[in-house]
Amino acid sequence: MLKKITVIGAGQVGATTAQRVFERGYADVVLVDIVEGMPQGKALDILESGPVVGSDANIIGTNGYDETEGSDIVVITSGIARKPGMSRDDLLLTNMKIIGDVTKEATKRSPDSIVIVVTNPLDAMVQHAFEVSGFPRERIIGQSGVLDTARFRTFLAQELGVSVRDVQAYVLGGHGDTMVPIVGYTTVGGRPISELLPKDRLDSIVQRTRDGGGEIVALLKTGSAYYAPSAGVVEMLDSIVLDQHRILPCSAYLQGEYGVNGYFAGVPVKLGSSGLEEIIEINLSSDEQAMLQKSVDAVEELVEIMHKSS
Ligand code: APR
């Protein structure tokens, strides 16, 4: 039997995620949105691509939650996206309300599901979903590090004229301006990046990675990135559905790891069929540890604002 994956929010990120999952063929998909007709229309359109892309999976759209019952995985992308001049944090309270509502509805009907949150500001939203759902940390994870790392790897591969597949890297910390590209663990064909690029070039690529989301927002003007974000979600889904035990940078609830207690932050985790199987602790330089702490402090501030408002 195919898995069942619910995608909440049928906007740019949600619909592209649904399309990518449908094309994998390993899961039936339920696409949920509040806009009447829109998730139904997109789902039908994707379904009709089945004969061409070779997928026998089913996909339906809905404005309610009954159809989501018994999902193995729930991906939450609902919310408002950034417009030019807005930071991810500007979305905080609006998206908090949306995430709270949809998490309640979805987890009630799929109490054993694994939840992946994509909505920004990511680390605060996944923390809110964690608190609302009461799920164990193994089954509630945020997508951000896969995307940030993909951006970093893209820029490094371009700079060095090598395949993206040969650039190994991790971007940890919060999904925001305080994200932490771990230069010490960045290698190209096994060689440390510090041997291949002068510091100023590397610094500017790190900065471009931090600003990667904003660069796309400034170009699009009417929304934010969705092709690479949805690809990031699907890399996580692959690892869970196919029990691949991939080690991927994801936002996870830390309980002492990396010196952080009680907050979500981007760290390398092992993902398999039961969700988060292990948090991998890599050695950080004192600078990297300090940057990670700074990014956790930023998340902590947002979580405090959310707690005060509720
Ligand atoms: N229930 C279900 N869907 C909702 C709800 C809700 N309560 N509130 C809003 N939505 C839907 C909107 O109707 C819209 O279709 O969420 C969708 C969001 O889609 P887009 O506006 O296209 O935004 P998108 O680019 O997909 O980004 C979604 O992901 O990467 C993050 O920062 C991004 O937080 C944003 C999220």
Side-chain angles (χ1 to χ4, degrees):
M1 207 169 106
L2 297 185
K3 295 278 181 200
K4 179 168 178 178
I5 298 181
T6 286
V7 179
I8 305 178
Q12 303 283 41
V13 176
T16 316
T17 299
Q19 179 196 351
R20 291 186 192 282
V21 172
F22 176 80
E23 290 182 0
R24 294 292 204 269
Y26 56 45
D28 291 327
V29 182
V30 181
L31 190 56
V32 183
D33 203 286
I34 40 168
V35 179
E36 243 175 74
M38 188 266 264
Q40 292 88 341
K42 289 191 179 181
L44 183 59
D45 193 9
I46 293 172
L47 183 73
E48 290 166 356
S49 72
V52 183
V53 301
S55 174
D56 282 307
N58 192 25
I59 175 164
I60 56 163
T62 173
N63 302 118
Y65 284 84
D66 289 346
E67 298 85 343
T68 69
E69 193 170 346
S71 294
D72 298 290
I73 307 174
V74 174
V75 180
I76 300 181
T77 76
S78 50
I80 55 162
R82 276 201 284 174
K83 303 205 170 52
M86 280 171 93
S87 77
R88 290 188 182 88
D89 297 352
D90 292 334
L91 309 173
L92 184 70
L93 294 179
T94 306
N95 283 351
M96 170 193 163
K97 165 94 181 61
I98 294 171
I99 295 307
D101 292 347
V102 307
T103 301
K104 247 183 248 152
E105 295 295 336
T107 55
K108 195 162 64 186
R109 289 169 180 84
S110 301
D112 300 321
S113 58
I114 296 166
V115 175
I116 298 177
V117 178
V118 190
T119 304
N120 276 311
L122 190 272
D123 303 281
M125 290 303 108
V126 66
Q127 180 115 18
H128 188 53
F130 173 72
E131 291 172 3
V132 168
S133 67
F135 275 19
R137 72 169 180 171
E138 287 72 22
R139 292 197 286 112
I140 189 143
I141 318 153
Q143 187 296 125
S144 62
V146 177
L147 167 64
D148 297 331
T149 302
R151 287 182 173 143
F152 190 41
R153 289 170 63 198
T154 303
F155 303 147
L156 288 171
Q158 267 186 341
E159 177 81 13
L160 293 166
V162 299
S163 166
V164 289
R165 288 173 298 173
D166 293 324
V167 181
Q168 279 280 328
Y170 280 116
V171 177
L172 306 184
H175 185 47
D177 306 332
T178 54
M179 67 181 76
V180 189
I182 307 295
V183 172
Y185 279 79
T186 303
T187 56
V188 178
R191 293 165 73 197
I193 192 68
S194 54
E195 288 178 14
L196 300 169
L197 273 182
K199 189 172 176 312
D200 59 328
R201 279 310 299 150
L202 189 54
D203 286 349
S204 86
I205 288 173
V206 165
Q207 195 52 46
R208 189 172 177 201
T209 303
R210 287 209 174 100
D211 299 336
E215 186 177 357
I216 307 264
V217 170
L219 289 165
L220 292 179
K221 296 187 182 70
T222 54
S224 55
Y226 54 99
Y227 290 114
S230 58
V233 176
V234 175
E235 187 170 47
M236 293 168 68
L237 290 174
D238 284 349
S239 193
I240 295 169
V241 173
L242 305 173
D243 201 22
Q244 289 173 334
H245 313 290
R246 296 282 316 275
I247 296 173
L248 298 172
C250 301
S251 184
Y253 187 70
L254 300 179
Q255 294 173 306
E257 298 88 357
Y258 293 94
V260 178
N261 209 349
Y263 291 99
F264 276 79
V267 294
V269 307
K270 201 202 280 183
L271 285 186
S273 59
S274 57
L276 183 156
E277 297 181 328
E278 190 185 343
I279 291 180
I280 314 288
E281 285 198 78
I282 56 176
N283 290 324
L284 301 182
S285 69
S286 55
D287 276 1
E288 287 165 349
Q289 181 65 41
M291 278 195 285
L292 182 73
Q293 188 55 50
K294 204 173 141 210
S295 92
V296 172
D297 293 344
V299 174
E300 206 176 321
E301 262 177 48
L302 297 185
V303 171
E304 260 171 43
I305 298 172
M306 290 199 304
H307 283 168
K308 276 189 196 135
S309 86
S310 56

